[in-house]
Amino acid sequence: MSTYTKITLLTGLTLLLLSSRPAGAQHTIAYTFPLPSSRETGLVKASFNITTSFRVMTIAGNKEADLIMTMNVAPATAQSPRPSFEYRYMYHGEVFTDQDVGTAPFYKLRTWLVEFDVIVQGRGKTWDFSLSKADKTKYIKVPLDSKAEQYTAKIMGMNFIQFEGQQDIENAIRKLLEKRKTAAAKPQNANTSTNPLQSTAATGNNTAKASTTATTNKEADDDFWEEKKPAKTGSAGTPSRTTAAPQVDYTKQLREAQTAYFDQTRESHARIEQQGALAMSSYYAAQAVNKAKSNLQSLSRLDGNYESIEELNADFESKYYAINQAVEELSSARQQSYQASYNSLYNNANETNRAIGQAVVAAGSMISEMAAEKKRRQMQEQLRRERAAEEARIKEKKWQALVSSRREMLKRFPDGGVPLSFHKVSVNDLYFFAYVLDTTDIRKQAPVAMLTNVFPVSRYGDGTWPFKNGLTGDLKKVTGAGKITIMGYYTTEKLANDMRAAFENIAGKCQVKVKHYTYKGKKSAAGNSNTDFWGNEKSGEKNKKAAPAKKDDFWEN
């Protein structure tokens, strides 16, 4: 469940600015948890003062901030019983107290490793994960505007604990068990039935002792009247000798005692080293599980800044198939963790408990495989959802960029017009082109721009130019409808053609389809200067044409 998010330092041309917001208030709460059911040895109840605090860190350019949770664990001990300490120790399923072994054996007992189930809540969301005394820190992705005081943490339970310094208390317990065993064996010897052979031997011994005593007394009576006691003879008639006491080799006994002591010391050290190695193996196996979980969690997120659908799909495919490998690594790490925990917990257990432990490991491995398969489906489904969301974001970003480019195109080709009479234009023919495309059309998926050819407009004979409204009216008759935008004026036809070609090129890049129309333009009447502003022939010229030619009446009267 745990996912350990790390801050990745990026190097390159872009300078990343990190900022850390003020930390929220620290909260210290006293907790007492029972020994996990998987353990048969350890304190029956362990108490802790656990302090949790939050702070928010942001990195410039990132869309999310990092909520950093810190957990400091202070276990209670016999010498520092805060918040509380109970002198109750379970040894292979049986509970012993200070009434059994005293308080002194508890003094060296310490909590070495411990892992808790933690829940963090804030802003309508909940995260659950495991966090150990060694790790202390957890990184959580939160919105950029998050504040540390908006989040709280709660310790839900203790799922793993490992002690150190338990040799004194376990030695005291073993001595107590030996005393109990010895005390239980004495009544059995007292109640044992008497063997008939032993009774007969005892009777014979008693008779022999009585006879010996009588003979001795008799001898004493005889010796009373005699000056010298007769010498005692053996079976061969020779004087008996007193048997000497056997000699004790104290040097040998001391050497054997020293050898036994050193053997016990080596065995004790080897046992301690083995227990430490098994505990470390269990700890590192648990760390491997956490690392595999973190790796799997990171693969289920598409957190890159993708510029195209192709780039997005490439990262999706890479992570989608990497999830399969990560799930296998997580399943393998869990199985190794189960086995390491078994080795640590059942190292000195009897055959029955070992068999139970192996059954638990087998069941745990099977459950782990099923959970891994479920996790794989969840992570891949989450990856698909993120791809869909990221794809929609990219499409929307591209669409907005396209609309913006179309709007920029209209700015580059603004509405023009014909010159007025006071404008100093040296040429008599000007050139224009027109198009129909307004701001409402640019938000369509496939807009169409109606584009005319380059057409000429000529000056009237009186020096004036046609009105723009007249040109617009004629162009509407050609294009049919829409807002007419007249581009010009251009003093040469080449300039007009170049600008029209530029318009058509940019329209293609902006995904605007171009539809062509033809307009002949406006030419002055008869191509001369004998017409007025409206294109009508001047009145003076009309009168001149109407007047009859004079006849040469030089010869006629």
Side-chain angles (χ1 to χ4, degrees):
M1 299 188 298
S2 174
T3 53
Y4 294 95
T5 310
K6 303 296 183 185
I7 296 178
T8 303
L9 299 179
L10 304 177
T11 57
L13 298 178
T14 304
L15 177 63
L16 296 180
L17 302 178
L18 290 88
S19 63
S20 180
R21 300 174 192 170
Q26 293 185 349
H27 299 280
T28 301
I29 301 177
Y31 292 92
T32 298
F33 297 107
L35 186 69
S37 58
S38 60
R39 299 295 305 253
E40 289 189 345
T41 302
L43 282 176
V44 175
K45 290 185 179 180
S47 298
F48 309 88
N49 277 329
I50 301 179
T51 303
T52 57
S53 62
F54 294 92
R55 61 190 179 96
V56 177
M57 178 177 288
T58 59
I59 302 178
N62 282 9
K63 297 180 180 179
E64 292 181 306
D66 285 309
L67 176 67
I68 304 175
M69 173 195 164
T70 303
M71 179 181 73
N72 291 316
V73 180
T77 64
Q79 294 178 333
S80 179
R82 291 186 299 271
S84 63
F85 184 84
E86 293 189 14
Y87 290 89
R88 300 174 65 205
Y89 191 86
M90 180 180 289
Y91 184 73
H92 295 304
E94 185 178 353
V95 177
F96 298 86
T97 68
D98 54 341
Q99 299 296 324
D100 299 315
V101 297
T103 59
F106 286 85
Y107 289 163
K108 293 183 179 180
L109 189 63
R110 298 288 186 273
T111 299
W112 181 31
L113 298 173
V114 62
E115 185 179 77
F116 302 100
D117 286 331
V118 184
I119 284 183
V120 172
Q121 293 178 318
R123 299 190 62 168
K125 295 191 69 175
T126 300
W127 298 267
D128 59 293
F129 49 86
S130 296
L131 195 60
S132 69
K133 175 187 174 184
D135 294 331
K136 295 185 179 181
T137 304
K138 174 71 177 177
Y139 292 85
I140 303 173
K141 292 295 182 181
V142 294
L144 284 174
D145 59 346
S146 297
K147 296 180 180 179
E149 57 268 20
Q150 295 175 320
Y151 297 89
T152 58
K154 186 175 181 181
I155 311 302
M156 301 304 296
M158 178 178 70
N159 54 35
F160 178 81
I161 189 169
Q162 182 72 35
F163 297 97
E164 63 178 352
Q166 66 270 39
Q167 290 83 8
D168 288 355
I169 187 170
E170 292 185 1
N171 288 337
I173 291 173
R174 283 192 287 269
K175 290 179 180 179
L176 176 62
L177 293 176
E178 287 294 332
K179 288 181 179 179
R180 289 180 180 177
K181 185 177 179 181
T182 302
K186 287 182 178 180
Q188 295 178 2
N189 294 334
N191 296 329
T192 302
S193 60
T194 305
N195 191 327
L197 295 178
Q198 293 178 349
S199 299
T200 303
T203 303
N205 290 338
N206 292 334
T207 304
K209 288 180 179 179
S211 175
T212 304
T213 304
T215 303
T216 304
N217 291 336
K218 185 178 180 298
E219 290 177 354
D221 293 339
D222 293 341
D223 292 345
F224 179 77
W225 304 102
E226 296 179 3
E227 296 180 358
K228 187 176 180 180
K229 295 181 181 179
K232 296 181 180 179
T233 59
S235 57
T238 58
S240 61
R241 295 180 182 179
T242 304
T243 304
Q247 297 295 322
V248 179
D249 190 349
Y250 292 104
T251 303
K252 181 180 179 181
Q253 290 184 353
L254 178 61
R255 185 165 55 251
E256 291 176 349
Q258 289 176 339
T259 302
Y261 169 76
F262 287 124
D263 289 342
Q264 292 176 358
T265 302
R266 281 193 296 270
E267 290 177 359
S268 176
H269 289 173
R271 185 167 57 253
I272 292 172
E273 290 178 1
Q274 183 184 23
Q275 291 175 349
L278 291 174
M280 288 302 296
S281 176
S282 177
Y283 171 74
Y284 287 126
Q287 290 294 91
V289 171
N290 291 335
K291 183 178 180 181
K293 287 181 180 178
S294 177
N295 182 37
L296 182 60
Q297 193 67 28
S298 65
L299 288 174
S300 65
R301 293 192 301 268
L302 294 171
D303 50 3
N305 296 320
Y306 308 103
E307 297 297 333
S308 65
I309 300 294
E310 293 75 14
E311 184 181 353
L312 168 65
N313 287 334
D315 193 24
F316 170 81
E317 294 293 335
S318 174
K319 290 188 174 182
Y320 186 86
Y321 292 107
I323 286 177
N324 295 328
Q325 179 66 26
V327 167
E328 291 181 3
E329 292 177 357
L330 175 59
S331 179
S332 175
R334 278 176 171 165
Q335 291 179 10
Q336 292 177 7
S337 178
Y338 292 148
Q339 189 62 45
S341 298
Y342 166 81
N343 293 337
S344 178
L345 297 174
Y346 295 92
N347 180 43
N348 297 319
N350 55 36
E351 292 299 326
T352 302
N353 289 336
R354 283 177 177 272
I356 294 173
Q358 284 290 3
V360 171
V361 170
S365 298
M366 184 170 59
I367 294 172
S368 174
E369 290 179 359
M370 293 188 293
E373 177 61 22
K374 181 180 178 181
K375 192 72 171 177
R376 181 188 65 80
R377 292 195 300 269
Q378 290 176 345
M379 294 296 98
Q380 290 181 339
E381 181 60 30
Q382 179 178 339
L383 199 64
R384 291 190 194 96
R385 289 195 299 268
E386 290 206 7
R387 179 180 68 167
E390 191 68 17
E391 188 173 347
R393 183 194 68 80
I394 292 174
K395 287 182 178 179
E396 179 63 20
K397 180 180 177 181
K398 284 192 172 184
W399 170 248
Q400 293 299 332
L402 182 61
V403 172
S404 178
S405 64
R406 290 172 180 174
R407 191 177 290 111
E408 185 66 24
M409 179 185 75
L410 295 181
K411 290 181 181 180
R412 291 189 179 186
F413 295 92
D415 194 22
V418 295
L420 300 177
S421 58
F422 59 82
H423 289 148
K424 304 298 182 181
V425 179
S426 59
V427 297
N428 292 325
D429 292 316
L430 297 176
Y431 297 91
F432 301 82
F433 69 92
Y435 67 89
V436 178
L437 181 69
D438 58 25
T439 54
T440 59
D441 295 328
I442 63 176
R443 298 200 66 86
K444 296 178 180 179
Q445 288 291 338
V448 178
M450 293 178 283
L451 181 65
T452 69
N453 59 303
V454 172
F455 56 84
V457 174
S458 300
R459 189 202 300 266
Y460 291 124
D462 60 355
T464 61
W465 298 90
F467 279 131
K468 179 180 179 181
N469 289 342
L471 288 176
T472 303
D474 291 344
L475 289 167
K476 281 187 176 182
K477 294 176 183 179
V478 174
T479 59
K483 178 185 176 183
I484 303 294
T485 301
I486 297 177
M487 292 299 301
Y489 55 90
Y490 302 100
T491 56
T492 66
E493 186 176 8
K494 182 179 183 305
L495 286 175
N497 281 324
D498 290 344
M499 188 58 70
R500 181 180 178 277
F503 176 89
E504 195 164 2
N505 181 41
I506 294 176
K509 292 180 179 179
C510 295
Q511 300 181 17
V512 176
K513 186 178 179 181
V514 176
K515 190 174 181 179
H516 299 92
Y517 291 87
T518 302
Y519 174 60
K520 293 182 179 181
K522 279 185 173 292
K523 283 286 188 178
S524 61
N528 55 47
S529 61
N530 293 327
T531 57
D532 59 11
F533 176 80
W534 305 104
N536 299 321
E537 192 175 4
K538 294 180 182 180
S539 59
E541 296 298 327
K542 185 184 294 185
N543 292 336
K544 288 181 181 179
K545 290 181 181 179
K550 285 187 178 182
K551 294 183 180 180
D552 189 3
D553 57 355
F554 178 80
W555 304 105
E556 296 177 2
N557 296 321

